Amino acid sequence: TWDPPRSYGLRGAAAGYVFDSEIRCVPHGASGTRLEMEIVGRPTNFVAKLFSPLVAILSRMMVKHCAKDLADIARAAEG
């Protein structure tokens, strides 16, 4: 999806999963903007479903990396 300047979304597929990601710019306070990132993955075949518990564990690591990316963006935007 493409909804400038509020959000954009992407879809990808790999290793039996379909991934949807969206980054949103949400008004925050009187003059601020909060960035939100959402990534959802869905297994599409038996093997991917079998490995879903492992993917859930790895997803926690990805959350940490995404949080760091958003913090880096905030630092750059705020000067």
Side-chain angles (χ1 to χ4, degrees):
T1 61
W2 180 247
D3 185 22
R6 294 289 177 217
S7 69
Y8 72 91
L10 302 171
R11 175 173 281 174
Y17 274 84
V18 172
F19 298 92
D20 291 307
S21 67
E22 185 174 8
I23 295 183
R24 294 180 293 275
C25 299
V26 180
H28 183 73
S31 63
T33 300
R34 182 179 68 240
L35 284 178
E36 296 179 348
M37 179 185 292
E38 182 178 11
I39 301 170
V40 178
R42 292 179 308 282
T44 59
N45 63 36
F46 176 75
V47 174
K49 290 176 185 178
L50 188 65
F51 280 95
S52 287
L54 177 61
V55 170
I57 292 168
L58 295 174
S59 293
R60 291 184 202 133
M61 291 176 17
M62 188 176 81
V63 167
K64 290 179 186 177
H65 288 287
C66 289
K68 182 186 176 306
D69 290 346
L70 290 173
D72 290 345
I73 292 168
R75 270 192 302 280
E78 293 168 356

